[in-house]
Amino acid sequence: MSSEQHSLEFSAFFAELFGQDLGIVELPTVDFATRSFSNDADSYPADWEASDSEGEEFRNVGRPRAARLRQSVERDDEDLEEEEPVPRTTPIRHGLSGFGRRNSLLLIYVAAVIHANRKLVQQRSLHLHFTIFEMQSEAQAGSGYSCQTFSDGALNTGVPSQVLIPQVDPAQLPSDIGDLTDLAKYITSELLKDVPGQKSTLAKENLAALQLFSEALHDDERKIHTSESFTTRGTVGKVQQPKILKALAYIREHMSDVMNIERYFEQEVIGVDVADPQKPCLIVRKIGSMEERREAFDFVHLANGTPLSPTIPPSDFVSSNPPNHSAVQDFLSQNSALIDGQIRQNSQIFIAGFSLSAYDYVPLILQYTPLIEATESGYNIRDEYAKDYQGLLNFISLTPTPTPPRLMSKASRTPVLTTEEFHTVFLQKNFDWLNFCLVFLEANVARSLSVLPRDFKYKKAMNSTERMVDYARQTEAHLRGEVTELGLQRAMYERFYFGRGFDLDVDEAERKLVEKAPITRTDRVGYFMRRGALSDITSLSYIEQQPNKPFIDAYLNMYRVYAGSPPAIHYLVARMFELGVAKNTQGNFSGFKMGEGSLCLAPGRLDRTADKALVSLKGNVKEVVLGQPQYAKGRVIQSPRGEPAHVIDMGMGGHGTEIRTGMGKISIAGMQWPDTHALGPAVHSAGIVAPMTVLFSLITAQGFNQPVKRFLQHYERTLPSQAQFSKEVAQFASVWRDLHEKRAFLVLCETVAENFDQYLEYTDKVFDSETRGRLVGGWVDAQKHASAVEKYRDTVSAIPAFKPPSVEAYFERFVDLTPSELQKFWEAHMNL
């Protein structure tokens, strides 16, 4: 495979990681031979490594950056205290680039923080002014691209419940604001007001979504399960958008003394200027105009989360419209593809991609065929009509790997990897924790499924159709309540995704771990661990040693399985493959040609180069590599010299950048939050950034110089000492070694076991070193499995030393502040 082909394939994988598999993500590439990485936080000379009092095994790097930072903190403290602060008499101005789900919720959660702390805000004479620039029309305000009110694509996930916003008691908020802190409760309460009406609407829009809605209803249709998909994205937008407008009206009518908002729609932010880090400017252009204007703010918030580029250029025969049943009907009608309201037999419709966005169109297309019929609770597939529509759907993709169904099963045997052990792996510096832990995942799945790991279905070579047929069988088993391979795999990946092991009681395991390791674990489980787990392996200190493509490939596969397509949607797609109605063709989108009479639905692909605000920062801020910002704590952009700018990014900047190292090797650098397209992470991020935004504003209103820098300096002072950190992580040295021995033992068991009964018997002895030793010793005495045992012993003798990062490096992994950290800062501010 040529380096160009390799880059193409990897780019496709990387695009899928962001929720799309539609073509190549056009990312800047960097040749390591032409760049210096002296500014990288994890780049340091070997002579900076020194032993600490905890012993040689726990050498921690005293990195130049940390030393310089401490010196600058002391020096800058003197500079900051030279003048007596003069309180501001003018509003603190915030500029918002984008008003989709993240920035709309950020604004409302800021109002929640202010409402909950109204007395303090008034005492400090705080007044905030927000100016919003949004590309979409006012009709789509607050929806973002994925929840546009006209989208008939089904939700792929559930809806988040009560969000934790530090300093806010949701019960004390007015309903116009408080309802939006618990989206699951509010959205379902609105849908339950007219269940028959919802069913009737979904029956017209998307029969697969109707089935999801019917399956989510319970308790005599008085409640809705919200942990998984239950309606269309447009329905969420239609419910949420009026509530956002009510919240804005409440702010205008009841909070105008502390907070004002002005909104500009069909206005695109095409640039961000941080020449003055304390007064960043947004460069704005009205859609359809070439006239630009610049506006300076005290703080800028970026949330351009889903910039799209066309996969295939639109034409009369190629539609890139979002999934909408009326738009699909119009597209088919305009191209004479319908006869009496049904698609012509022997037609062919290409769909660009082989993932969630491609699946969105299938139930909308099939409504115009006799292949499915509506039922009271969803749809039935009518196999007898498949012969008339052979090859109707042709999914065009760069890879033959389809997104699987979103199944979940519960493990039934003693887990082989605990949360404490997973945390131990995460503590190791520059370590590919995911590929290391896959051995444990496979063992856990195998022991619960009663099969050998080598016999897993996902390891068998299958073409696209065979894979989809297998997925259909597993979905049917799942719906019968049976344990499935995919369901177990997804359950284990979910644990990894949020930083947990396979404990049967995850809450108790977490409680014990926090008690043992409060410094490294408190408030870290969930989104914090999910994002922090990417930092080390996409840092230059890791990439300079080896490409991180093996990790990214494994992470993509984890994401693909975890994100999954809801069963009601995926089963419909999979059965079309089984019936010959659908097929997959591998190929590149550039130069794509259709046969005469064919049509194509080509949803846009996520493309960070389409984010003009992000692109404008290239070369003008501190970067990991060219085009990839290096963020300070709180997602704060920094000037080229490392001075914190008053710019907070919740957009594409955290996705990382593809780079090319020596010999054409590909890696991803600077990945910290590749989840801007999903509702759950949007709610979580807004809940964290909102109180931070109010704190920045309070410090500014009091007249203190460089509020963000002051805030970050205070953060540095709150970190535990290196001695405290080293003492805590030292507890995990024995766990590290035992875990490596367990892993080698599990590999040995799989190698020598002739059937599952033997495998279960052997792996039941994995849990302590004594039983492992007796089993291996018995094989040695009996002269059995000599080569496998020798390999096992070689692996055990080569266990790497446990080398956690320094305390500064550990906390740099987490770009977001935790609720407890924010609480500390809030209390500290009271003493300013």
Side-chain angles (χ1 to χ4, degrees):
M1 180 184 292
S2 69
S3 62
E4 288 78 10
Q5 290 172 320
H6 185 251
S7 179
L8 184 73
E9 179 185 356
F10 192 39
S11 295
F13 284 169
F14 191 48
E16 239 186 294
L17 178 62
F18 297 153
Q20 305 277 348
D21 70 342
L22 310 177
I24 307 167
V25 175
E26 298 176 7
L27 302 177
T29 58
V30 177
D31 190 332
F32 266 51
T34 64
R35 285 191 57 81
S36 167
F37 302 112
S38 59
N39 287 333
D40 177 49
D42 287 326
S43 178
Y44 50 85
D47 60 356
W48 275 82
E49 191 171 85
S51 301
D52 60 39
S53 59
E54 298 301 327
E56 188 63 20
E57 277 194 344
F58 301 98
R59 292 186 299 167
N60 288 291
V61 177
R63 299 182 306 160
R65 179 177 182 275
R68 290 198 303 268
L69 182 56
R70 291 194 189 94
Q71 292 172 1
S72 71
V73 166
E74 296 170 2
R75 184 170 57 251
D76 290 337
D77 275 353
E78 296 173 3
D79 296 339
L80 293 173
E81 298 298 337
E82 281 180 358
E83 298 180 5
E84 186 71 21
V86 179
R88 278 271 294 265
T89 57
T90 56
I92 312 303
R93 302 190 67 238
H94 292 257
L96 274 62
S97 176
F99 196 62
R101 293 180 295 185
R102 280 159 299 142
N103 266 351
S104 63
L105 291 174
L106 169 64
L107 185 63
I108 291 162
Y109 293 171
V110 164
V113 174
I114 291 176
H115 189 281
N117 298 273
R118 191 69 173 264
K119 185 176 180 180
L120 168 67
V121 168
Q122 290 173 335
Q123 287 175 346
R124 304 291 169 89
S125 300
L126 178 64
H127 192 110
L128 278 67
H129 187 99
F130 289 88
T131 303
I132 300 164
F133 302 101
E134 166 58 42
M135 287 183 62
Q136 296 191 93
S137 67
E138 187 170 3
Q140 301 303 325
S143 63
Y145 283 107
S146 58
C147 282
Q148 290 168 314
T149 56
F150 50 78
S151 174
D152 294 335
L155 283 171
N156 291 309
T157 66
V159 172
S161 55
Q162 184 64 60
V163 61
L164 172 62
I165 307 175
Q167 293 300 124
V168 174
D169 178 1
Q172 301 302 314
L173 295 173
S175 61
D176 284 339
I177 292 176
D179 285 347
L180 289 170
T181 68
D182 190 339
L183 290 180
K185 181 178 179 181
Y186 177 70
I187 290 171
T188 56
S189 69
E190 291 298 301
L191 299 185
L192 288 170
K193 291 178 180 178
D194 184 12
V195 170
Q198 289 298 319
K199 287 185 174 181
S200 176
T201 299
L202 292 174
K204 298 173 185 176
E205 295 177 347
N206 187 328
L207 290 177
L210 170 60
Q211 186 152 319
L212 290 169
F213 183 68
S214 301
E215 291 170 352
L217 288 166
H218 65 106
D219 197 12
D220 295 327
E221 297 191 343
R222 290 178 296 182
K223 294 182 180 179
I224 299 175
H225 288 297
T226 60
S227 59
E228 296 292 348
S229 173
F230 59 87
T231 188
T232 64
R233 299 195 291 275
T235 299
V236 171
K238 290 170 188 174
V239 173
Q240 186 178 343
Q241 189 192 64
K243 192 65 177 179
I244 290 173
L245 296 178
K246 283 187 177 181
L248 297 180
Y250 181 91
I251 294 168
R252 182 174 60 252
E253 295 168 11
H254 301 283
M255 300 179 67
S256 60
D257 60 322
V258 292
M259 190 172 176
N260 292 107
I261 302 165
E262 58 178 327
R263 301 184 295 161
Y264 296 92
F265 294 96
E266 299 182 36
Q267 303 268 348
E268 181 182 15
V269 174
I270 61 171
V272 184
D273 185 348
V274 294
D276 181 352
Q278 315 308 314
K279 287 287 184 181
C281 293
L282 291 180
I283 304 167
V284 184
R285 179 189 296 162
K286 185 173 178 61
I287 300 297
S289 168
M290 295 304 293
E291 185 176 343
E292 300 175 5
R293 67 187 178 102
R294 297 167 61 90
E295 192 162 349
F297 296 94
D298 294 298
F299 299 94
V300 161
H301 303 264
L302 306 179
N304 307 321
T306 50
L308 302 176
S309 291
T311 323
I312 300 170
S315 68
D316 290 342
F317 311 107
V318 178
S319 172
S320 294
N321 291 325
N324 174 274
H325 74 288
S326 295
V328 168
Q329 183 181 35
D330 291 344
F331 178 63
L332 296 173
S333 297
Q334 291 164 9
N335 286 283
S336 303
L338 296 179
I339 298 179
D340 297 328
Q342 293 196 335
I343 295 175
R344 292 174 178 271
Q345 295 179 10
N346 301 316
S347 295
Q348 185 172 50
I349 300 173
F350 292 92
I351 303 177
F354 206 10
S355 187
L356 303 178
S357 57
Y359 296 169
D360 280 340
Y361 291 97
V362 173
L364 309 187
I365 295 170
L366 294 183
Q367 285 188 142
Y368 300 103
T369 75
L371 285 161
I372 59 172
E373 62 179 352
T375 66
E376 184 178 348
S377 59
Y379 65 84
N380 280 331
I381 297 174
R382 305 171 74 184
D383 296 12
E384 63 270 23
Y385 289 97
K387 64 182 186 300
D388 299 325
Y389 289 95
Q390 294 293 291
L392 170 65
L393 306 175
N394 192 340
F395 293 83
I396 308 299
S397 63
L398 288 169
T399 69
T401 309
T403 293
R406 191 179 176 92
L407 311 182
M408 183 72 82
S409 299
K410 188 175 181 179
S412 58
R413 298 188 189 275
T414 304
V416 297
L417 181 72
T418 67
T419 295
E420 179 186 48
E421 291 170 332
F422 187 87
H423 186 68
T424 302
V425 173
F426 182 72
L427 286 175
Q428 180 77 342
K429 180 178 175 64
N430 287 350
F431 186 65
D432 184 347
W433 55 269
L434 182 50
N435 280 299
F436 177 84
C437 288
L438 286 179
V439 170
F440 297 96
L441 182 147
E442 291 187 351
N444 223 54
V445 172
R447 286 164 53 83
S448 293
L449 201 60
S450 299
V451 299
L452 290 167
R454 58 177 173 265
D455 294 331
F456 287 155
K457 295 175 182 177
Y458 82 84
K459 291 187 175 183
K460 296 184 183 302
M462 299 184 188
N463 61 34
S464 301
T465 296
E466 292 168 338
R467 184 67 65 192
M468 291 298 264
V469 171
D470 172 59
Y471 285 162
R473 299 290 85 81
Q474 291 200 56
T475 300
E476 290 166 353
H478 168 81
L479 295 174
R480 293 193 299 267
E482 299 173 14
V483 174
T484 65
E485 179 183 302
L486 263 173
L488 287 168
Q489 190 181 18
R490 180 169 180 261
M492 302 303 104
Y493 273 139
E494 183 180 59
R495 298 292 185 89
F496 284 177
Y497 212 42
F498 290 96
R500 295 186 172 113
F502 307 145
D503 311 80
L504 299 179
D505 187 340
V506 292
D507 293 334
E508 178 62 13
E510 185 66 24
R511 185 194 65 78
K512 289 181 178 179
L513 181 55
V514 170
E515 188 176 284
K516 178 177 181 177
I519 292 174
T520 56
R521 192 65 181 189
T522 300
D523 279 355
R524 301 290 165 189
V525 72
Y527 286 111
F528 297 99
M529 194 66 71
R530 167 175 164 176
R531 294 163 184 156
L534 299 168
S535 180
D536 258 21
I537 302 176
T538 62
S539 69
L540 293 183
S541 62
Y542 184 94
I543 296 169
E544 287 172 327
Q545 299 172 35
Q546 57 192 313
N548 62 17
K549 184 181 184 298
F551 171 82
I552 295 295
D553 285 350
Y555 190 87
L556 169 63
N557 188 60
M558 176 173 71
Y559 177 84
R560 183 188 287 118
V561 173
Y562 173 72
S565 174
I569 297 171
H570 196 283
Y571 185 67
L572 182 59
V573 179
R575 288 282 287 124
M576 292 304 107
F577 272 85
E578 184 173 23
L579 294 170
V581 174
K583 62 181 180 179
N584 168 235
T585 300
Q586 288 179 249
N588 196 345
F589 297 125
S590 61
F592 170 74
K593 295 181 180 180
M594 300 184 298
E596 185 176 350
S598 297
L599 303 176
C600 181
L601 293 167
R605 58 181 173 135
L606 200 60
D607 179 5
R608 63 179 278 153
T609 65
D611 184 345
K612 296 175 183 176
L614 177 61
V615 170
S616 73
L617 296 173
K618 183 177 179 180
N620 297 312
V621 298
K622 187 174 183 181
E623 297 176 313
V624 180
V625 293
L626 187 64
Q628 177 55 50
Q630 181 173 314
Y631 294 93
K633 185 67 67 174
R635 308 192 184 197
V636 171
I637 296 284
Q638 302 175 83
S639 74
R641 294 177 57 195
E643 180 181 356
H646 289 193
V647 181
I648 301 170
D649 186 5
M650 292 199 294
M652 285 284 290
H655 285 215
T657 297
E658 181 179 320
I659 64 174
R660 189 184 304 277
T661 62
M663 303 299 292
K665 295 179 180 178
I666 307 297
S667 286
I668 302 297
M671 185 188 295
Q672 293 193 280
W673 65 84
D675 53 13
T676 54
H677 56 283
L679 182 56
V683 170
H684 177 265
S685 297
I688 293 298
V689 175
M692 188 174 74
T693 298
V694 176
L695 273 172
F696 286 169
S697 302
L698 280 166
I699 298 171
T700 304
Q702 288 179 261
F704 285 105
N705 188 32
Q706 302 184 52
V708 177
K709 192 170 188 177
R710 182 181 296 274
F711 183 92
L712 295 177
Q713 286 173 353
H714 179 76
Y715 172 79
E716 291 290 334
R717 295 190 196 96
T718 65
L719 292 180
S721 69
Q722 183 62 56
Q724 291 171 323
F725 180 81
S726 296
K727 182 177 180 181
E728 178 173 296
V729 299
Q731 303 174 92
F732 296 91
S734 60
V735 181
W736 170 262
R737 180 166 187 82
D738 188 64
L739 189 58
H740 276 264
E741 291 181 3
K742 284 176 64 175
R743 185 180 189 274
F745 182 80
L746 289 171
V747 172
L748 173 62
C749 292
E750 181 184 356
T751 302
V752 303
E754 297 177 359
N755 52 56
F756 174 73
D757 288 339
Q758 279 189 354
Y759 179 76
L760 181 62
E761 177 189 350
Y762 298 159
T763 56
D764 271 343
K765 296 174 173 56
V766 73
F767 300 103
D768 67 81
S769 59
E770 186 177 341
T771 55
R772 294 195 300 263
R774 282 201 299 267
L775 181 62
V776 175
W779 288 339
V780 171
D781 293 342
Q783 297 184 343
K784 295 174 63 177
H785 315 307
S787 61
V789 169
E790 182 180 6
K791 187 174 181 180
Y792 163 75
R793 287 180 163 175
D794 288 344
T795 301
V796 170
S797 66
I799 293 174
F802 184 47
K803 293 184 178 180
S806 66
V807 61
E808 292 93 349
Y810 179 78
F811 284 97
E812 281 175 7
R813 294 177 177 179
F814 304 96
V815 70
D816 292 313
L817 293 153
T818 67
S820 58
E821 287 172 335
L822 281 166
Q823 181 65 34
K824 289 179 184 178
F825 299 149
W826 195 277
E827 293 170 356
H829 177 72
M830 298 305 99
N831 298 321
L832 281 177

